[in-house]
Amino acid sequence: MDGATEFFELMEECAPDPFSGPYPLPFEREIDWSKVLTHDVAQQLVADGWAVVDGALGEGYASALRAELEWLQRKGLMSPNKTQFTTADGPKQFSKPHILELDLHHEQVRQRVPEFDALWCSEALSRRLGALVPSFELAHGTSGHTVKLQYNSGSGGCFPFHYDNPGPPNNRAVTCLLYLNPGWKQGDGGELVLQPFLKNRHILPPLMDRMVLFRSDVCLHRVLPATTERYCCTIWIDGMNTNQDQDTLLKDHHLKLETDQAIELFRKSGLQRVFSRAVYSQEYEESLWECMQGVGGAVSYTHLTLPTKRIV
């Protein structure tokens, strides 16, 4: 029996009764995704690689999810986020300071929070997005998505620059972030930073009921240090044809493209990940150091780069 199985069996025995409320506001569970994910949102997602929807679920439902997430954190049902470094001695993992998370694939915990359980079981989001953008070839059903909840204690917790889909065997196609932070104000930190390849950077506050969608394989991003508590829910929707050879293998003909042609290609292709660590090397290292400072042994690895992609 592995450690994770033992942990969740113990948690099953010791965990509290399911969340029973109260919820802060009246709400409707059913979401009309056709009103949330419009054709304009889909067009921006395709053209720019990201899009924002404010008031995505409605104040009542977003408040209900926030209440359940707060309950999970209070009951100690979340665990530290891990950062892994690739080293000459093999992978090394360190806990990221001030960040707790919970993967809703863990049924024993998920069923204690009914609204998150319903969100995890639903495939309405992927169906709507798949209908709007068939070229994404999205997967459906609970095996085609991952839902992760996150709590940031507000003591400087942050994330370094990264791609949600760094390469094979990852299948993530679209990332959907739902922020649950009422009363967020300038200075609270925790903003999402989007860095489209060789384009202007965008800084997005984690406002209550704001949903940010972006392509998992072409949107480099990070989270700035938070100075107050920050709650969010991430939904990763898999694609059935992510990380094909044309998205991961740099070929000789790519190197013969004119500069403008190459930039335009890489902006919309996962191939940009081949160059990203070189183009944004300082940003990677500084954000990683900021994220892991104070963690014994971790800072010495912040200069490491990702494995080099091969050229064929």
Side-chain angles (χ1 to χ4, degrees), residues 154 156 181-191 206 224-230:
N181 305 296
W184 185 93
K185 62 185 182 301
Q186 195 70 34
D188 287 346
E191 295 95 337
L224 296 177
T227 62
T228 190
E229 289 184 315
R230 177 185 186 272

Side-chain angles (χ1 to χ4, degrees), residues 73 281 288:
Q73 187 272 324
S281 59
L288 189 54

Side-chain angles (χ1 to χ4, degrees), residues 39 42 46 126-140 173 239-241:
H39 288 279
V46 171
S126 64
R127 292 286 181 187
R128 172 60 179 172
L129 192 55
L132 287 171
V133 193
S135 61
F136 284 174
E137 298 185 81
L138 298 179
H140 305 296
M240 293 182 286
N241 288 295

Side-chain angles (χ1 to χ4, degrees), residues 23-43:
Y23 291 108
L25 298 168
F27 65 91
E28 295 289 337
R29 174 183 290 178
E30 297 302 320
I31 304 167
D32 186 349
W33 287 107
S34 67
K35 295 181 179 179
V36 179
L37 301 180
T38 64
H39 288 279
D40 288 344
V41 170
Q43 287 175 0

Side-chain angles (χ1 to χ4, degrees), residues 10 22 25 65 83 121 146 178 232 253 279 284 299:
L10 178 62
L25 298 168
L65 295 177
T83 292
C121 291
T146 301
L178 176 65
C232 74
H253 72 267
V279 174
Y284 269 103
V299 174

Side-chain angles (χ1 to χ4, degrees), residues 85 277 285 288-289 298-306:
F85 296 92
R277 285 300 289 257
E285 187 167 335
L288 189 54
W289 183 89
V299 174
S300 61
Y301 294 111
T302 58
H303 66 284
L304 296 176
T305 59
L306 296 175

